[in-house]
């Protein structure tokens, strides 16, 4: 087993586990936020309405913000994983970053 394969495995396995954890927490927060929504069918039909505060109760807004935070966490994990894979393949160097 080469070092590249080992490095990819060490990068991918924890990243996938953490990514799936973030996605699950985000889905639970979205589900709870929709339960606390004044008109959940409208928000499910037109997802861009998810960012409008007046469609949610105060607790719903907190859950929605939590879901958006988990979404940002998922995106961050994905970007770190991609950058790590590029670094392992040698396509990303510190001179290219700075």
């Amino acid at each position: 087993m080469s070092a590249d394969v080992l490095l990819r495995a060490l990068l991918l396995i924890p990243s996938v586990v953490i990514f799936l954890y973030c996605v699950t927490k985000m889905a639970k927060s979205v589900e709870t936020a929709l339960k606390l929504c004044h008109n959940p069918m409208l928000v499910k039909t037109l997802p861009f309405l998810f960012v409008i505060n007046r469609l949610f109760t105060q607790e719903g807004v907190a859950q929605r913000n939590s879901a958006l935070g988990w979404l940002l966490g998922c995106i961050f994990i994905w970007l770190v994983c991609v950058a790590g894979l590029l670094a392992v393949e040698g396509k990303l160097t510190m001179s290219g970053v700075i």
Side-chain angles (χ1 to χ4, degrees), residues 4-5 12 16 18 23 33-34 38 41 45 58 61 66 70 72 74 78 82 84 88 91:
D4 287 347
V5 174
L12 281 177
V16 167
I18 293 170
V23 167
L34 286 175
H38 296 300
M41 189 55 138
T45 307
Q58 188 174 4
V61 170
S66 173
W70 285 110
L72 289 176
C74 289
W78 183 80
V82 168
V88 166
K91 295 179 181 176

Side-chain angles (χ1 to χ4, degrees), residues 44-65:
K44 287 178 185 176
T45 307
L46 303 169
F48 63 87
L49 294 176
F50 193 69
V51 296
I52 297 177
N53 283 343
R54 63 188 166 108
L55 293 176
F56 295 90
T57 62
Q58 188 174 4
E59 296 87 13
V61 170
Q63 286 297 319
R64 187 207 61 207
N65 291 343

Side-chain angles (χ1 to χ4, degrees), residues 3-15:
D4 287 347
V5 174
L6 183 63
L7 283 174
R8 284 188 188 119
L10 288 174
L11 179 70
L12 281 177
I13 293 171
S15 296

Side-chain angles (χ1 to χ4, degrees), residues 78-98:
W78 183 80
L79 288 175
V80 166
C81 185
V82 168
L85 287 174
L86 288 174
V88 166
E89 290 179 7
K91 295 179 181 176
L92 180 69
T93 60
M94 289 308 290
S95 62
V97 174
I98 298 175

Side-chain angles (χ1 to χ4, degrees), residues 27-42:
K28 288 180 181 178
S29 293
V30 167
E31 181 183 4
T32 306
L34 286 175
K35 287 180 183 175
L36 298 168
C37 181
H38 296 300
N39 196 347
M41 189 55 138
L42 181 64

